[in-house]
C-alpha cells in the first residue's frame, strides 16, 4: 500500500539513497530488523553500537515509507494530554511516559552529536494553543498537573501569547525542550554510517511474508522463498506491522501537509516554535532551516489510499486558510503538498516489545503524532531486551500494559 502521496519535501531536498540490494539467498543473522524508516534506523544504531550483529530488510527503497512524509516534530507531549492519560492508564505510567519522551529528545540529539551526522536537528520551543474558550479549562488542568509532577511548562495568557508568539489567541502552554529535524535525512545518514562503521547489511526490495518463531529463534520467509534465520526479529514497520500481530492494536488516520516557498527570515514567526492546538484534529506548524513554513493536520479516519489522495487538493486550501487566520501578515505560497497514513492507539502510547513474554518477535511501533521520540525509546528498550537487561519502560509501553477501563 502507498503510505504517502504528493511531493514530500524531504525527498526533494535530500540526496536519494538509491540502493537496490534484494536478498537472493538464504542467510543467517543475530537480529533481523524489518523496516528502514527512522524507527528501523534508530534500532539499527542502538544494536550496532552495542555490538549486536544485525541486518535490515525493507520491501521498498530505503526510508521511502512513512518517514519520507514525517514533519519530524520532537516534543515530550503526546497526543493524549497528561490530565487525560491518567484516566486511561495508571498515573505512574502516564507520568513516566511524558518523562521518557522528554529524555528521548536528548537521546536523539546525542546520537547526532556522537556520530557527527547532520540531520538538521534543532532545538526549538513548543506552543500549544487553546483552540477555543472551552479548551482553556483543559490547559488549566494540564498546566497544573505538569507543574505538580515537575515537567517543564509555562502558561501564556492572551497578552503573553501575543508578545511571545505574535498570535491573537486565548491562552497557550509553552516549553523550551522540543526539537525538529529531517527524519528522512536522519534515517539514511544513520544507515550509511553503520554500513561503513559496522558493515551493517541492508536488503532492499525484499518483502517478508511470514515469521515462524521457535524457542531458539525465528525464520523469516520472503516472497521469493528465501529464508532469513535469526535469534530475534524486530518489526519496525508502523501500521504495516499488522500482518505480524495476532490482532489489531491501532487505528489508521490520514494526515495532510503543505510547505511554503522560502520566506524572508524576518517574516518567520517568532522563536521558530513548534505550534499546535487543542482541537481534534489539531493543526501543527514548524519551520525549516531554509525558512520554509510547514503546516499540517486535517487528520481524518483512513479509508483507502484513493480516498485519502482525492482529498489532498481541498485539504491544501483548508490548511492555507487556517494558517492565514493565525498569521495574516505572512505570505504563504504552497510549493509542495503531501498526504500520508499513520496510526494511533486508544491511549496515545506506542507498542514496544514482544506480544507476550518470551517471544522472539519484538515490535518497535511508534504509533501517534510523537512517533520519533517513541522510536528512540523503542530502540533503547529492545536493545536492552536482547541483552537481557531489565527495562522498566516495558511496563509503560508494552502490549500487556495496565489500563483503566
Amino acid at each position: 500500500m502507498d503510505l504517502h502521496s504528493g511531493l514530500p519535501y524531504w525527498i526533494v531536498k535530500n540526496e536519494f539513497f538509491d540502493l537496490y540490494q534484494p536478498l537472493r539467498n538464504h542467510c543467517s543473522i543475530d537480529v533481523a530488523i524489518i523496516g528502514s524508516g527512522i524507527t528501523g534506523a534508530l534500532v539499527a544504531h542502538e544494536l550496532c553500537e552495542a555490538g549486536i550483529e544485525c541486518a535490515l530488510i525493507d520491501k521498498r527503497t530505503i526510508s521511502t515509507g512513512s518517514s519520507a512524509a514525517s514533519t519530524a516534530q520532537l516534543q515530550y507531549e503526546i497526543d493524549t494530554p497528561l490530565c487525560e492519560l491518567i484516566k486511561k492508564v495508571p498515573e505512574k505510567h502516564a507520568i513516566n511516559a511524558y518523562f521518557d519522551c522528554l529524555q528521548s529528545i536528548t537521546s536523539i540529539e546525542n546520537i547526532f552529536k556522537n556520530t557527527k551526522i547532520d540531520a538538521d536537528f534543532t532545538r526549538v520551543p513548543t506552543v500549544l494553543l487553546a483552540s477555543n474558550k472551552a479548551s482553556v479549562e483543559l490547559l488549566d488542568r494540564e498546566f497544573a498537573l505538569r507543574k505538580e509532577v515537575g515537567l517543564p511548562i509555562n502558561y501564556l495568557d492572551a497578552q503573553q501569547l501575543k508578545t511571545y508568539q505574535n498570535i491573537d489567541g486565548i491562552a497557550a502552554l509553552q516549553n523550551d525542550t522540543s526539537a525538529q529535524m529531517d527524519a528522512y535525512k536522519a534515517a539514511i545518514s544513520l544507515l550509511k554510517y553503520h554500513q561503513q562503521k559496522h558493515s551493517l547489511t541492508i536488503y532492499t526490495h525484499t518483502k517478508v511474508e511470514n515469521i515462524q518463531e521457535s524457542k531458539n529463534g525465528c525464520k523469516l520467509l520472503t516472497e521469493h522463498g528465501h529464508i532469513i534465520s535469526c535469534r530475534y526479529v524486530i518489526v519496525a514497520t508502523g501500521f504495516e506491522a499488522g500482518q505480524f500481530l495476532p490482532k489489531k492494536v491501532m487505528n489508521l488516520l490520514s494526515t495532510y501537509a503543505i510547505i511554503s516557498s522560502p520566506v524572508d527570515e524576518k517574516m518567520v514567526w517568532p522563536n521558530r516554535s513548534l505550534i499546535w492546538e487543542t482541537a481534534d484534529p489539531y493543526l501543527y506548524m514548524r519551520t525549516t532551516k531554509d525558512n520554509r513554513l510547514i503546516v499540517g493536520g486535517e487528520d481524518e479516519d483512513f479509508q483507502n489510499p484513493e480516498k485519502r489522495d482525492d482529498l489532498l487538493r481541498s485539504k491544501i486550501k483548508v490548511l492555507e486558510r487556517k494558517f492565514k487566520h493565525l498569521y495574516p501578515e505572512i505570505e504563504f505560497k504552497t510549493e509542495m503538498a503531501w498526504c500520508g497514513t499513520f496510526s494511533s492507539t486508544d491511549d496515545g502510547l506506542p507498542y514496544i516489545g514482544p506480544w507476550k513474554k518470551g517471544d522472539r518477535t519484538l515490535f518497535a511501533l511508534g504509533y501517534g503524532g510523537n512517533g520519533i521520540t517513541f522510536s528512540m525509546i523503542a530502540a533503547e528498550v529492545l536493545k536492552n531486551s536482547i541483552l537481557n537487561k531489565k527495562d522498566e519502560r516495558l511496563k509503560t509501553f508494552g502490549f500487556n500494559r495496565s489500563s483503566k477501563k
Side-chain angles (χ1 to χ4, degrees):
M1 184 170 90
D2 293 333
L3 300 187
H4 59 79
S5 61
L7 188 60
Y9 166 68
W10 314 109
I11 290 183
V12 177
K13 167 181 173 287
N14 294 293
E15 180 183 356
F16 194 55
F17 190 4
D18 194 17
L19 176 68
Y20 180 71
Q21 189 168 292
L23 177 66
R24 302 189 187 277
N25 300 289
H26 302 325
C27 71
S28 296
I29 195 73
D30 196 16
V31 179
I33 304 165
I34 306 176
S36 68
I38 186 60
T39 304
L42 288 170
V43 170
H45 171 80
E46 288 297 310
L47 297 189
C48 286
E49 289 296 298
I52 300 170
E53 184 188 30
C54 58
L56 190 140
I57 305 105
D58 201 304
K59 66 182 181 181
R60 299 182 177 87
T61 299
I62 293 300
S63 302
T64 55
S66 296
S67 293
S70 172
T71 53
Q73 295 161 261
L74 311 181
Q75 301 162 255
Y76 79 74
E77 297 98 334
I78 66 175
D79 288 347
T80 306
L82 182 57
C83 63
E84 298 297 326
L85 187 59
I86 61 174
K87 300 175 184 178
K88 296 175 179 286
V89 303
E91 183 171 332
K92 179 181 177 182
H93 292 174
I95 295 169
N96 285 346
Y98 268 68
F99 274 102
D100 289 338
C101 286
L102 178 62
Q103 175 56 46
S104 72
I105 300 171
T106 299
S107 297
I108 293 169
E109 182 177 29
N110 287 338
I111 285 176
F112 299 135
K113 285 181 178 178
N114 294 336
T115 59
K116 295 181 172 56
I117 287 173
D118 177 12
D120 291 350
F121 182 97
T122 307
R123 285 281 187 173
V124 289
T126 283
V127 174
L128 172 59
L129 303 172
S131 301
N132 49 49
K133 290 182 179 179
S135 306
V136 175
E137 188 269 337
L138 171 66
L139 288 194
D140 289 342
R141 288 190 291 123
E142 186 72 3
F143 174 74
L145 182 55
R146 290 200 214 169
K147 200 74 174 175
E148 178 185 342
V149 302
L151 286 164
I153 195 70
N154 300 301
Y155 193 98
L156 305 178
D157 61 23
Q159 183 177 347
Q160 291 168 324
L161 176 58
K162 180 65 175 178
T163 300
Y164 182 80
Q165 202 57 58
N166 194 27
I167 288 177
D168 291 315
I170 310 166
L173 299 183
Q174 183 271 351
N175 73 75
D176 293 314
T177 66
S178 301
Q180 61 188 32
M181 69 182 205
D182 179 337
Y184 176 74
K185 186 178 183 182
I188 64 173
S189 298
L190 278 171
L191 295 178
K192 288 179 178 179
Y193 175 87
H194 289 292
Q195 275 186 309
Q196 295 178 3
K197 183 178 179 181
H198 294 107
S199 300
L200 172 67
T201 300
I202 300 175
Y203 297 112
T204 70
H205 304 89
T206 301
K207 183 179 180 181
V208 176
E209 295 277 12
N210 187 35
I211 299 174
Q212 298 174 354
E213 186 169 330
S214 66
K215 185 173 69 173
N216 297 318
C218 300
K219 291 187 182 297
L220 282 56
L221 180 66
T222 74
E223 63 179 334
H224 295 301
H226 299 121
I227 295 174
I228 303 170
S229 301
C230 54
R231 193 162 59 95
Y232 290 96
V233 57
I234 295 176
V235 179
T237 56
F239 76 82
E240 290 186 304
Q243 72 177 100
F244 304 118
L245 288 165
K247 66 179 184 181
K248 179 183 175 183
V249 297
M250 77 295 192
N251 310 304
L252 296 185
L253 297 170
S254 299
T255 191
Y256 300 83
I258 57 177
I259 186 167
S260 73
S261 304
V263 300
D264 288 339
E265 187 166 3
K266 64 183 180 182
M267 295 302 295
V268 176
W269 59 74
N271 307 300
R272 294 183 173 266
S273 305
L274 305 182
I275 301 172
W276 58 310
E277 58 175 354
T278 57
D280 185 17
Y282 58 80
L283 186 77
Y284 51 91
M285 299 163 42
R286 60 160 288 189
T287 64
T288 67
K289 190 176 181 180
D290 57 347
N291 297 329
R292 296 174 185 266
L293 314 174
I294 298 177
V295 181
E298 280 301 291
D299 301 351
E300 59 176 60
D301 291 339
F302 174 82
Q303 298 179 39
N304 55 64
E306 292 76 21
K307 175 68 173 177
R308 177 198 67 198
D309 298 353
D310 287 345
L311 292 172
L312 181 56
R313 188 174 297 276
S314 63
K315 296 290 188 180
I316 291 171
K317 293 179 180 179
V318 174
L319 291 172
E320 288 174 337
R321 186 172 66 248
K322 288 187 174 182
F323 177 82
K324 197 70 175 176
H325 175 73
L326 287 177
Y327 285 114
E329 72 280 4
I330 300 178
E331 185 177 11
F332 189 108
K333 291 184 177 180
T334 298
E335 189 152 280
M336 286 167 256
W338 63 95
C339 53
T341 303
F342 75 101
S343 306
S344 65
T345 59
D346 291 339
D347 56 16
L349 299 178
Y351 282 106
I352 298 170
W355 179 262
K356 64 180 186 298
K357 188 175 181 180
D359 285 359
R360 289 181 174 268
T361 301
L362 309 176
F363 293 90
L365 306 179
Y367 296 146
N370 214 22
I372 297 176
T373 52
F374 289 152
S375 297
M376 184 69 252
I377 295 168
E380 294 172 338
V381 169
L382 297 184
K383 173 193 67 178
N384 289 337
S385 294
I386 290 169
L387 294 174
N388 291 315
K389 293 181 179 179
K390 187 176 181 180
D391 196 312
E392 291 294 322
R393 289 174 289 186
L394 278 173
K395 295 179 180 178
T396 301
F397 302 114
F399 286 95
N400 63 344
R401 59 179 175 252
S402 301
S403 63
K404 294 179 179 178
K405 294 184 179 179

